[in-house]
Amino acid sequence: MKKRWKLLLGIAGIFLVIAIAVVLIITKNRKTAETAPEFVLLYAENQTEDYPTTLGAYYFADKVYEETGGRIKILVKYGAELGSESEVLQQMKYGGIAFARVSLSQLAEHIPEMNVLQMPYLYSSSEHMWRVLEGQIGDEFLLKTGSFGLKGLSWYDAGARNFYSTKPIRSLEDIRGMNIRVQESAMMADMVSALGAVPSKIVYSEVYSALEQGLVDGAENNWPSYESMKHYQVARYYTIDEHTRVPELQLCSSAIWDKLSAKDRKIIMDCARDSALYERQLWAEREKSSRKIAENSGITVIELTAQEKARFREAMSEVYTKYCGDQMDILQKIMEY
Ligand code: GCU
């Protein structure tokens, strides 16, 4: 009799476990169905997976997902999977890509008045640039993205850009005649020409092989790009002249923005701003660690003397006339900010 009871209890136990499992599976499926996102949106980033701007993008995507209760899901595609920055901007115009982080220099190709924010030797320091971007001028320029079918969300940090090359650059004479890779930007090309060098517009993902194959003698970028794209392995001289600080923008396609409710727009805007603060923290750390990695590999770091830097700066006067001739008021304001 005892044995029979035990057997019955055992069978009942097995049924109970199966029943619980079935209930759990059904509930889980229902939950997934209930929280299926209303929007699944693409976010383009051309840097590597662990780069500060990419980590900022993930932070943004996670926060938006959380704050909208899973209604808006953002898929971050890094490493230029969705195309170069200029291709991404074209696709955003039509809503094919919803979000991106791009370098201002690419946007300035479509909205030339943006150039004033990235002029050579414009900012005296990172703090100076952030005072400008976080103030009224920064807000006004975020709005200007509307003329290219975009909604500017926030500013990201990209530090200062310096030259790096296969032969040392210690003076204006050294850079003269060198073939220097620049972004796909008219202003950057003119800046390099003004120094007496020959600019080559090459897409970011191709810079390593252009340096390696000797198609160019040098390029220019910040420490984290120089390190993460492995340019330091093929261009062993890094000349600190901090010729530009090119801010970066987090953008939303207007075609997508217009479809969102006021509540969702506010969530996106807030999350973008939070992610930008997060990115700036990561940036400061990455600048240091990237520099260390490059230096430990045995590169030569050259600091331009103050006198030489003044010569580089003076060479820029024609670039200022060409790109800021009709924006002298705003230029003055930025300089004095
Ligand atoms: C920086 C910037 C990129 C840009 C690159 C370039 O790394 O973050 O967005 O593409 O410069 O020089 O092209």
Side-chain angles (χ1 to χ4, degrees):
M1 189 62 184
K2 251 188 181 176
K3 255 190 182 171
R4 228 167 129 191
W5 270 110
K6 264 191 187 167
L7 188 69
L8 281 175
L9 273 176
I11 293 171
I14 291 169
F15 273 117
L16 191 66
V17 170
I18 294 173
I20 291 173
V22 169
V23 169
L24 281 177
I25 289 168
I26 292 172
T27 332
K28 188 172 172 255
N29 283 346
R30 192 172 295 155
K31 221 173 157 190
T32 320
E34 270 168 16
T35 55
E38 261 171 60
F39 295 95
V40 178
L41 303 169
L42 290 172
Y43 185 119
E45 170 56 69
N46 74 347
Q47 301 286 7
T48 52
E49 191 175 12
D50 67 342
Y51 199 85
T53 55
T54 311
L55 298 176
Y58 280 122
Y59 183 96
F60 170 67
D62 288 349
K63 269 209 111 181
V64 170
Y65 189 75
E66 201 182 297
E67 300 282 320
T68 59
R71 281 184 304 103
I72 302 184
K73 192 172 169 67
I74 297 170
L75 304 176
V76 177
K77 303 286 176 186
Y78 61 87
E81 191 187 325
L82 300 178
S84 67
E85 288 187 320
S86 57
E87 288 163 349
V88 164
L89 284 174
Q90 289 300 340
Q91 291 198 57
M92 288 182 86
K93 229 180 150 181
Y94 306 104
I97 296 174
F99 298 99
R101 186 282 315 159
V102 300
S103 178
L104 179 83
S105 62
Q106 297 308 302
L107 202 55
E109 287 299 281
H110 304 288
I111 312 171
E113 54 189 313
M114 289 271 182
N115 275 307
V116 74
L117 287 182
Q118 58 168 359
M119 292 308 289
Y121 307 103
L122 173 63
Y123 304 106
S124 56
S125 61
S126 165
E127 292 72 30
H128 180 193
M129 182 187 79
W130 281 109
R131 278 200 300 279
V132 173
L133 297 180
E134 284 182 328
Q136 198 196 338
I137 298 181
D139 289 347
E140 280 169 15
F141 275 83
L142 277 184
L143 288 176
K144 288 186 197 290
T145 57
S147 67
F148 193 66
L150 297 165
K151 169 76 187 163
L153 302 177
S154 73
W155 297 103
Y156 267 32
D157 204 353
R161 295 175 79 102
N162 300 293
F163 288 106
Y164 45 88
S165 43
T166 50
K167 291 171 274 179
I169 301 174
R170 292 198 168 84
S171 66
L172 212 45
E173 285 68 30
D174 288 341
I175 198 169
R176 265 189 204 141
M178 271 193 185
N179 200 330
I180 303 284
R181 177 269 169 174
V182 289
Q183 289 176 279
E184 294 162 285
S185 149
M187 197 282 280
M188 296 298 172
D190 284 341
M191 172 189 76
V192 161
S193 300
L195 295 173
V198 183
S200 283
K201 289 184 191 170
I202 297 174
V203 66
Y204 189 46
S205 54
E206 300 296 325
V207 180
Y208 178 92
S209 58
L211 284 164
E212 194 189 28
Q213 290 166 24
L215 298 177
V216 291
D217 306 306
E220 47 83 57
N221 218 319
N222 49 49
W223 283 108
S225 300
Y226 178 58
E227 175 264 313
S228 67
M229 298 302 277
K230 312 269 183 269
H231 298 172
Y232 71 99
Q233 295 177 354
V234 281
R236 307 285 290 156
Y237 296 91
Y238 195 92
T239 298
I240 301 180
D241 75 315
E242 302 198 334
H243 53 269
T244 48
R245 286 187 182 272
V246 181
E248 314 210 317
L249 296 105
Q250 222 182 4
L251 300 163
C252 181
S253 155
S254 299
I256 303 292
W257 185 257
D258 294 345
K259 289 192 187 131
L260 301 172
S261 66
K263 188 178 151 213
D264 287 345
R265 287 180 188 174
K266 177 159 178 1
I267 291 176
I268 287 176
M269 209 66 193
D270 290 348
C271 294
R273 297 241 156 108
D274 285 354
S275 81
L277 293 177
Y278 176 65
E279 189 269 348
R280 272 167 72 182
Q281 273 176 26
L282 297 179
W283 184 263
E285 292 157 20
R286 183 66 183 251
E287 258 187 342
K288 287 190 205 118
S289 61
S290 290
R291 179 173 181 163
K292 211 174 254 166
I293 292 172
E295 283 183 342
N296 287 347
S297 80
I299 60 153
T300 303
V301 178
I302 300 162
E303 294 260 5
L304 274 195
T305 62
Q307 206 183 356
E308 208 47 48
K309 196 166 167 178
R311 291 181 72 209
F312 274 58
R313 184 178 295 139
E314 275 154 27
M316 293 304 137
S317 63
E318 57 191 78
V319 186
Y320 270 80
T321 314
K322 181 165 173 187
Y323 290 92
C324 308
D326 52 359
Q327 284 174 289
M328 280 304 167
D329 289 1
I330 181 89
L331 184 68
Q332 198 62 32
K333 254 197 201 166
I334 294 174
M335 284 173 159
E336 288 163 4
Y337 224 84

